[in-house]
Amino acid sequence: MIQIGDASYRLDDPLTLAALGFAVLVLLLLWQAARGARRAARLSEPVLQHVSHLSARVQNLSDGQERLAGGLHHVSEAQTTSQTAMLEMMERRLAEVQDRMGETLHGSARRTAHSLGQLRERLQSIDKAQANITKLSSDVLSLQDILSNKQTRGAFGEIQLREIVTKALPPDGFTLQATLTNGRRADCLIHLPNPPGPIVVDAKFPLEGYEALMQAEGKEMRARAAQAFRMSVRKHIRDISARYILEGETADGALMFLPSEAVYAELHGNFPDVVREGFDARVWIVSPTTCMATLNTMRAVLKDARMKEQAGAIRKELAALYGDVERLTSRVANLDRHFGQAARDIEDIKISADKAGKRARRLDQFDFEDLETPVATPGRVLRLGDPAE
């Protein structure tokens, strides 16, 4: 008999035995289950730790994801802000570029308009220059027409000589188209003093020979042209020497004026024998430049001659000036002597006035004891108050 609580059970009862067996079985099962649970707990402890670790890592990953989401949101906002700022900056830059391009285009248009205006003015100047060139061409053609004639060419040389002479010499220092005693008329006669005396300047222009020489082709043609040019110049030298060098009337030499520097350079560069012949004939060849230099020298000679002519008058005026200076010196000495006498008289007057003032002060103070007794002078009556001297 088993007493369990208020109930009692018999051991020989099959139901009781079955219940006891069942209970034992249940206990065994529970013990096995508890043992398996402890074993499972022991086995699952690393898993649980790993799961806990994984949970922590999952939590960290979740937190990192949240932070990443926050960072991405911040980055997105910053990127949005940066994009907005960049867009604004780009818009400002574009606006500035547009403004600068507008200013540049406006300045370019203004400069282009100014350049076009200057180009228009230059084109107008070119048109004027073209008109002047056309006129000059016609003048050159007319000059060629003039130089093609010997008489007009001679007149051209005379006009050029007249311009040079009138600029270099005084009006009374020369005579144009002067007639000599042999009946020859010189282009210009310069009135130099003796010696050397009046000298003739005659204009010659051997243009045909020079042009033939310049246009000659080939050695033979050039030799013939050079010989013709040489003969032409020699003829001019002989004519001037025979016509314009007159003993007792003109200087012992004359000038041949070539109105062309090119002809003068060709003559002195390639025909020195002709130049020496001119020296031997006492005919000196000059160009416009050398003629001006020669005339300037002659002007100095004329000025020196006029100074010598006026030397007598200058001496006379100097003598009169010397007399005036002597009289002035004497009168200044007299004036100085008068001033000295006046200064001494003024000094005496000051002394007398000082003495008179002293006596007047003594009389005003009744200081008669200090007054000296006047000394009687024959022929003079002294009164009280009269100076002793």
Side-chain angles (χ1 to χ4, degrees):
M1 181 74 67
I2 299 171
Q3 188 70 31
I4 301 172
D6 293 335
S8 58
Y9 300 96
R10 294 175 63 183
L11 294 173
D12 58 354
D13 189 1
L15 292 173
T16 301
L17 293 172
L20 287 172
F22 179 76
V24 173
L25 180 61
V26 169
L27 289 172
L28 289 172
L29 291 174
L30 289 173
W31 180 77
Q32 291 288 337
R35 187 178 179 184
R38 285 195 301 271
R39 187 181 297 167
R42 286 194 304 271
L43 295 173
S44 61
E45 184 176 358
V47 176
L48 290 175
Q49 291 179 357
H50 185 66
V51 170
S52 177
H53 182 67
L54 290 176
S55 177
R57 294 187 67 180
V58 169
Q59 184 64 33
N60 291 330
L61 290 174
S62 177
D63 294 339
Q65 186 176 5
E66 290 180 358
R67 288 194 299 272
L68 180 61
L72 291 175
H73 181 69
H74 180 69
V75 169
S76 177
E77 290 181 353
Q79 186 176 5
T80 303
T81 305
S82 178
Q83 288 179 354
T84 304
M86 185 174 292
L87 288 174
E88 292 178 355
M89 184 180 66
M90 292 293 292
E91 289 178 355
R92 288 197 302 270
R93 294 288 178 87
L94 287 174
E96 291 177 359
V97 170
Q98 288 178 355
D99 294 339
R100 290 180 182 177
M101 288 183 66
E103 292 177 358
T104 303
L105 291 175
H106 181 68
S108 299
R110 185 171 60 251
R111 289 192 295 271
T112 302
H114 182 67
S115 299
L116 289 175
Q118 290 182 345
L119 181 60
R120 187 180 299 108
E121 292 177 357
R122 291 182 181 179
L123 288 175
Q124 292 177 357
S125 301
I126 291 173
D127 292 337
K128 292 180 180 178
Q130 185 66 31
N132 293 330
I133 290 173
T134 304
K135 183 179 178 181
L136 182 61
S137 299
S138 61
D139 293 340
V140 169
L141 292 175
S142 62
L143 180 60
Q144 290 179 351
D145 295 337
I146 291 173
L147 297 179
S148 61
N149 191 346
K150 289 186 178 181
Q151 294 181 353
T152 55
R153 187 168 65 243
F156 173 77
E158 292 175 7
I159 292 172
Q160 192 172 3
L161 177 62
R162 182 185 300 114
E163 292 294 327
I164 295 174
V165 171
T166 53
K167 290 180 181 178
L169 299 178
D172 57 346
F174 63 93
T175 302
L176 297 174
Q177 299 299 320
T179 302
L180 303 179
T181 56
N182 60 358
R184 298 293 183 177
R185 179 174 294 179
D187 292 335
C188 179
L189 181 64
I190 300 174
H191 305 297
L192 293 178
N194 287 316
I199 186 169
V200 174
V201 184
D202 194 62
K204 299 296 182 181
F205 202 170
L207 184 62
E208 291 89 349
Y210 176 75
E211 289 182 346
L213 180 62
M214 294 295 104
Q215 296 174 2
E217 296 180 358
K219 186 176 181 180
E220 185 178 354
M221 292 182 62
R222 185 168 181 82
R224 287 199 299 268
Q227 185 62 26
F229 179 70
R230 182 180 289 105
M231 295 302 296
S232 177
V233 177
R234 284 176 176 174
K235 182 179 183 303
H236 291 318
I237 292 174
R238 288 194 298 268
D239 291 342
I240 293 174
S241 178
R243 296 174 182 177
Y244 305 119
I245 300 178
L246 303 179
E247 186 176 358
E249 183 177 355
T250 65
D252 59 349
L255 299 178
M256 184 175 76
F257 175 71
L258 292 178
S260 174
E261 296 287 348
V263 178
Y264 179 81
E266 179 68 24
L267 185 63
H268 280 73
N270 298 320
F271 299 91
D273 55 333
V274 178
V275 177
R276 286 194 298 271
E277 290 183 11
F279 290 160
D280 294 337
R282 293 174 297 176
V283 176
W284 296 280
I285 304 173
V286 294
S287 66
T289 303
T290 56
C291 182
M292 178 63 74
T294 304
L295 292 179
N296 286 330
T297 305
M298 292 181 179
R299 180 176 61 185
V301 173
L302 289 173
K303 184 177 180 181
D304 183 68
R306 291 181 180 180
M307 290 292 292
K308 290 180 179 179
E309 291 177 358
Q310 299 296 327
I314 293 173
R315 291 193 190 94
K316 184 178 180 181
E317 292 296 327
L318 286 175
L321 179 62
Y322 181 74
D324 292 337
V325 170
E326 284 186 342
R327 284 192 295 273
L328 179 62
T329 304
S330 176
R331 291 171 181 175
V332 168
N334 293 333
L335 182 61
D336 182 66
R337 189 166 53 255
H338 292 319
F339 275 130
Q341 184 64 38
R344 287 191 296 272
D345 293 341
I346 291 173
E347 187 66 26
D348 293 341
I349 291 171
K350 288 174 64 178
I351 293 172
S352 299
D354 184 52
K355 288 182 178 181
K358 289 180 181 179
R359 292 183 183 278
R361 283 193 300 271
R362 290 173 183 174
L363 289 174
D364 184 61
Q365 296 174 0
F366 300 99
D367 190 7
F368 298 104
E369 288 80 3
D370 295 337
L371 294 177
E372 296 179 357
T373 303
V375 179
T377 302
R380 180 182 178 187
V381 178
L382 294 180
R383 297 182 178 86
L384 185 63
D386 289 343
E389 295 179 358

